Amino acid sequence: MPTGLHRKTITLALLMALPAISSAAEEEKTADATQTMTEVKVKSERIQDKPNKGYQATKTRVGKTYQDPQDVPQAVTTLTRELLHDQQVGSLREALRNVVGLSVNAAEGGRAGDNFNLRGFYTFGDLYLDNMRDTAQYNRETFNLEQVDVLRGSAAMLFGRGQAGGVINQVSKKAELNNKNTVTGSLGEYDYHQFTGDFNKQLTETAAIRVNVMDRYEETYRKNPTTGDRPSFDRQGIAVSFGAGIGTENEFFLNHIYTQTRDVPDFGIRFNPNTKRPMSQASTGASDRTFWGDKNNFDDSDTRMTTGIFTHKFTDDTQLRTQLRHANYKRAYWAKTPPNAAQPQLFPTGNSSVGGNITRYMDYETLNLQSDFSTKFELAGMKHSVLTGLEYLKEDSFRSNLQDQDPTAGASFSRHLKNYATRVTFNANNYAAYVQDSIEFIPNWTVLAGVRRDYMSSDNYTANNDTMRHLKYGENSYRTGLSWQPNADRHYYLTFSDSFSPTADLYQLTVVPQPPERSRSIELGSKWLFLDGDLSFRTALFSTTKDWERNQDLEATATILTKRRRTNGIEFEVTGKITDRWDMFAGIALLDARIINVADNYVGNNIVSADSRFEGQRARNTPIGTLNVWTTYAVTDAFKVGGGVEAKGERYAYVPSNSNTAQVDALFINGHFNPNSAPGYARVDLMASYEQPKWAVRLNVKNLLNKEYYDAVYDNGSLVTPGNKRQAIVTAEYKF
């Protein structure tokens, strides 16, 4: 894929390809009329990848093999393509608004990009694409996603080193045995325009190719009052999937995706030191409408991933699945931050002389090999479902700040001029093996037991030009549970799982090696199907404890955030069809996230403990309650209306590892904990669509009530980012 891919190139290529694709589709229809395809139909029926039922998912691979989410003994939320389509979702961040118990972290120092909290714990090490690690710091798009699966709770036994809140797994679109093409064009407020194309061509009885493309641009309501510049999202992408032997005993897919971003980044506004709420003094320039950057700022990334997937099916119940992926992530950005609270009289300028500068250059390359074997059999009168696998991951990473091109003339940074004095490198080899058995020991009762061993060795781990040490870690992870499924519509389970993350992982630097993060989750849950399986309902009661919690901010000096932290909570979720015309996707989560023991950090060779007053306080960026409701109703066979609400409670922002008594005193007013906090909010969205077999028109109105709200929090307490104001988008869709 050429480095200089631009949206004009994509659009021109598509316009040139459309006549050929359309002609090929007509030729295929003619050929189909003269031959029978009975054999292919039989083969296709063996594929476990059956389609979802609208908003209700019927398939997931978060357990390594295709399963109905109803059968997974752990809480799973799936965002289907139909749901994302109706909501006019373009980015992964926007898609995950549908997941209750999830909040968004703003651009942490050096960790800008998709960054979420799930059940109160960060997930920057738990993002996956087709079950393979995708932890690089970039912004992900949804144009090539079939669905997004969120497996809640610790999951290192299945996925390897990671965090406590859960796993976010993106599922790519794959080539299919049909001829189906869709193009869409969208226009909206704040200069929103998007073009997508999804083209699938069957080549032979068992081979096909699929191409997805995307070009999206939009701005926000925030503006630099001096220059008139606004933050913007300028993103393009192309994905190709080739499949051979589809539906046969030997199935192979070769997938490649390239995405490009050329954004103008927005690092938000500061908190008012008196009210502990976001600044709202419009007369001084410190308001939610003031953007401190300009068009010279940049957030450029180029992401390339090539994946080969080979599946050999020995029988319908026994298969070997092997994936090999090479990925390269390059990113450079220069963002402006507003001046501190002591300078509220300052306004943005045209030469970047006011406010702070955040810069970063990153080059991250991975080679990942996974091989999973699954089988089912009976032994001693009991049914076994066995999973076992091996994994190898090689990482090669470079990170640094950018060099100011001319410090005497005001801040000015180039995408290509690195500051090698601030470089951090991380090269590692990772090996893992796992085995899990699910045993139905008496009818309808199943016990689950699994263990995984991960080993990591870093041969070149440096920071600021100094070689620190060779780092090696070996850790076990476990998963066990008990399930009772009296019938296909009921599932009750109790599950324990854990996870770990070593000190060196994801740049979690420490002066003296500390124990790895360890997390333990226990979950009691139930899942029901109603209305002949068309409506699913689940609930889960859980408790997750994390020891030696690391800081997710790459620029923080205190690596350990807390020695022990715990989240207790309960979730409810309903998905599916209430009637033939009425679809629903809704959930609610109530979380109690608390610090149990404060952090110990090394200052030189001495251990310094955080202020003990933090013990028992609510954790950062974790609202007590989150709610999501999205529903649509088909008024006629063609006309559909819908809407929803996304709501989050108040979220705290502070540094729990702080040991400075005077600074901590400012967080307690008359003994009451009063840190910076982003207020709770409720965002209302609406949609209406008119659909015909070949074409459709849709209207989406986001933030219908034009609310001022803050959807992303820099949880160290200095910044918060507003969500966009009301935005109407009109989309036209054509199928051929």
Side-chain angles (χ1 to χ4, degrees):
M1 183 61 56
T3 302
L5 179 65
H6 298 290
R7 58 175 173 275
K8 290 183 179 179
T9 306
I10 295 177
T11 304
L12 179 60
L14 285 172
L15 292 175
M16 295 174 63
L18 286 179
I21 295 174
S22 179
S23 175
E26 292 301 320
E27 292 175 3
E28 187 70 23
K29 290 178 182 178
T30 302
D32 286 347
T34 61
Q35 60 180 323
T36 60
M37 303 293 290
T38 304
E39 181 182 1
V40 175
K41 289 181 181 179
V42 171
K43 291 179 179 179
S44 297
E45 289 175 357
R46 295 183 58 195
I47 302 176
Q48 300 180 61
D49 189 7
K50 59 183 179 179
N52 289 318
K53 298 162 63 175
Y55 299 164
Q56 183 187 14
T58 59
K59 64 180 187 300
T60 180
R61 196 182 272 277
V62 293
K64 292 290 188 179
T65 62
Y66 274 125
Q67 292 176 276
D68 190 317
Q70 177 76 5
D71 299 327
V72 179
Q74 210 164 326
V76 179
T77 297
T78 296
L79 312 178
T80 65
R81 183 174 58 180
E82 292 79 5
L83 175 68
L84 304 184
H85 171 272
D86 284 352
Q87 295 180 341
Q88 188 59 26
V89 166
S91 67
L92 179 65
R93 173 172 163 173
E94 185 76 8
L96 291 175
R97 290 182 181 278
N98 294 285
V99 178
V100 294
L102 182 143
S103 51
V104 180
N105 296 314
E108 309 298 331
R111 202 173 288 287
D114 289 330
N115 190 354
F116 311 101
N117 271 18
L118 185 60
R119 288 184 170 179
F121 301 97
Y122 50 77
T123 63
F124 63 79
D126 296 309
L127 292 170
Y128 288 77
L129 179 65
D130 299 321
N131 290 64
M132 304 185 84
R133 288 176 67 86
D134 182 36
T135 57
Q137 301 160 35
Y138 73 106
N139 295 292
R140 295 155 179 83
E141 298 293 296
T142 61
F143 74 100
N144 191 49
L145 296 186
E146 186 68 31
Q147 65 188 49
V148 180
D149 294 319
V150 180
L151 177 68
R152 299 165 186 268
S154 306
M157 193 251 109
L158 290 172
F159 289 89
R161 70 180 197 255
Q163 316 306 321
V167 166
I168 298 170
N169 184 46
Q170 308 157 86
V171 181
S172 300
K173 295 177 181 178
K174 297 188 300 183
E176 301 175 347
L177 295 178
N178 57 47
N179 294 303
K180 182 171 61 176
N181 308 290
T182 304
V183 294
T184 68
S186 304
L187 293 174
E189 295 174 282
Y190 300 111
D191 202 17
Y192 180 100
H193 47 275
Q194 176 175 274
F195 171 82
T196 65
D198 185 349
F199 311 102
N200 192 92
K201 171 66 178 176
Q202 183 171 340
L203 303 175
T204 69
E205 291 185 357
T206 61
I209 189 169
R210 187 172 186 174
V211 179
N212 276 268
V213 294
M214 174 276 301
D215 181 354
R216 180 166 66 90
Y217 179 88
E218 65 177 310
E219 298 176 348
T220 78
Y221 77 104
R222 285 162 52 74
K223 183 171 69 173
N224 183 315
T226 302
T227 65
D229 297 332
R230 298 178 185 269
S232 62
F233 307 94
D234 187 359
R235 302 176 181 180
Q236 297 83 45
I238 182 168
V240 180
S241 174
F242 169 76
I246 300 175
T248 68
E249 289 78 8
N250 294 291
E251 189 175 66
F252 175 74
F253 285 94
L254 181 62
N255 303 326
H256 178 79
I257 182 170
Y258 169 77
T259 56
Q260 170 185 283
T261 68
R262 297 294 183 264
D263 297 350
V264 175
D266 182 4
F267 265 48
I269 63 176
R270 295 201 181 276
F271 286 95
N272 186 312
N274 298 316
T275 66
K276 305 296 182 71
R277 297 296 186 269
M279 288 283 193
S280 59
Q281 301 166 328
S283 61
T284 65
S287 79
D288 66 293
R289 293 184 173 274
T290 304
F291 171 53
W292 292 87
D294 59 45
K295 64 181 180 182
N296 294 317
N297 299 128
F298 55 85
D299 186 349
D300 296 354
S301 69
D302 295 271
T303 301
R304 297 172 174 85
M305 284 183 275
T306 303
T307 309
I309 308 172
F310 177 72
T311 303
H312 175 66
K313 301 173 184 176
F314 299 93
T315 67
D316 287 344
D317 292 329
T318 303
Q319 68 174 30
L320 177 66
R321 187 171 189 264
T322 301
Q323 297 186 92
L324 176 64
R325 172 180 295 163
H326 177 266
N328 181 255
Y329 313 82
K330 284 186 171 66
R331 187 177 183 196
Y333 63 83
W334 168 31
K336 292 293 296 184
T337 60
N340 60 45
Q343 301 174 298
Q345 73 281 3
L346 297 176
F347 277 80
T349 61
N351 63 358
S352 300
S353 62
V354 173
N357 298 286
I358 304 294
T359 69
R360 184 72 72 228
Y361 176 85
M362 290 171 283
D363 189 346
Y364 181 51
E365 187 171 9
T366 63
L367 181 66
N368 198 348
L369 175 65
Q370 290 183 5
S371 190
D372 302 309
F373 176 78
S374 61
T375 187
K376 296 180 180 180
F377 57 88
E378 287 195 23
L379 181 66
M382 296 181 288
K383 297 179 180 179
H384 294 256
S385 295
V386 175
L387 294 170
T388 186
L390 301 171
E391 181 175 356
Y392 169 72
L393 172 65
K394 181 177 178 58
E395 300 172 279
D396 187 353
S397 182
F398 174 92
R399 172 174 66 88
S400 73
N401 294 334
L402 297 176
Q403 184 71 50
D404 195 340
Q405 299 180 98
D406 187 0
T408 62
S412 177
F413 296 89
S414 165
R415 298 162 175 79
H416 310 293
L417 189 58
K418 311 174 191 64
N419 182 355
Y420 284 93
T422 63
R423 79 172 188 259
V424 175
T425 64
F426 178 55
N427 303 321
N429 291 286
N430 306 268
Y431 309 87
Y434 82 92
V435 61
Q436 175 183 276
D437 194 4
S438 181
I439 308 168
E440 186 177 1
F441 57 96
I442 60 175
N444 305 325
W445 286 87
T446 303
V447 63
L448 175 72
V451 60
R452 177 181 175 120
R453 178 69 176 177
D454 282 88
Y455 175 78
M456 183 181 75
S457 174
S458 173
D459 298 321
N460 181 19
Y461 185 39
T462 66
N464 301 332
N465 284 327
D466 297 322
T467 300
M468 295 181 67
R469 63 186 71 87
H470 296 286
L471 292 170
K472 296 182 180 181
Y473 284 94
E475 296 288 335
N476 292 338
S477 303
Y478 304 94
R479 185 179 188 224
T480 186
L482 179 66
S483 291
W484 178 44
Q485 292 181 271
N487 54 55
D489 295 339
R490 302 288 185 271
H491 185 186
Y492 308 92
Y493 63 89
L494 177 65
T495 302
F496 169 86
S497 57
D498 69 356
S499 63
F500 82 99
S501 184
T503 303
D505 188 23
L506 305 166
Y507 296 129
Q508 295 175 87
L509 307 179
T510 181
V511 177
V512 176
Q514 299 278 42
E517 288 184 328
R518 294 293 324 195
S519 303
R520 303 170 300 281
S521 296
I522 186 167
E523 179 174 303
L524 176 66
S526 57
K527 303 180 181 184
W528 295 274
L529 294 176
F530 299 101
L531 305 178
D532 295 326
D534 288 339
L535 187 71
S536 63
F537 176 79
R538 73 163 184 86
T539 183
L541 183 68
F542 63 88
S543 179
T544 299
T545 303
K546 172 178 277 191
D547 296 333
W548 299 100
E549 178 187 18
R550 290 325 198 262
N551 202 320
Q552 62 182 324
D553 189 337
L554 303 183
E555 296 175 341
T557 55
T559 302
I560 306 299
L561 277 178
T562 59
K563 186 180 289 186
R564 175 166 292 181
R565 186 155 72 79
R566 178 176 297 129
T567 298
N568 298 323
I570 188 170
E571 299 165 347
F572 303 92
E573 191 172 86
V574 59
T575 309
K577 287 184 173 294
I578 299 175
T579 70
D580 289 342
R581 295 184 177 272
W582 185 7
D583 287 272
M584 175 72 72
F585 186 98
I588 185 171
L590 302 175
L591 305 176
D592 182 22
R594 301 283 173 178
I595 296 172
I596 308 301
N597 300 121
V598 296
D600 289 334
N601 277 292
Y602 278 92
V603 177
N605 291 319
N606 299 317
I607 294 180
V608 176
S609 297
D611 195 296
S612 62
R613 284 174 289 180
F614 287 123
E615 292 188 354
Q617 302 301 334
R618 181 148 58 95
R620 309 182 301 172
N621 201 7
T622 306
I624 294 175
T626 61
L627 168 73
N628 181 78
V629 177
W630 178 264
T631 183
T632 57
Y633 187 81
V635 180
T636 69
D637 290 342
F639 182 57
K640 181 167 66 175
V641 296
V645 178
E646 178 225 353
K648 284 182 173 60
E650 180 185 50
R651 290 142 292 153
Y652 285 168
Y654 64 97
V655 182
S657 56
N658 198 337
S659 60
N660 186 303
T661 301
Q663 293 177 3
V664 177
D665 284 343
L667 301 178
F668 289 85
I669 308 299
N670 297 323
H672 175 67
F673 190 49
N674 187 32
N676 290 337
S677 62
Y681 69 88
R683 188 184 108 170
V684 178
D685 297 343
L686 289 183
M687 66 84 67
S689 66
Y690 187 82
E691 301 182 11
Q692 293 294 314
K694 291 290 186 180
W695 59 273
V697 177
R698 185 174 66 256
L699 170 67
N700 290 86
V701 182
K702 302 184 179 183
N703 193 6
L704 175 71
L705 303 180
N706 205 31
K707 290 284 189 179
E708 174 188 329
Y709 72 100
Y710 299 88
D711 64 345
V713 177
Y714 185 106
D715 57 16
N716 277 355
S718 57
L719 297 166
V720 64
T721 305
N724 209 3
K725 289 295 184 70
R726 180 170 52 231
Q727 183 182 38
I729 300 172
V730 177
T731 301
E733 181 177 277
Y734 178 63
K735 302 176 182 179
F736 58 95

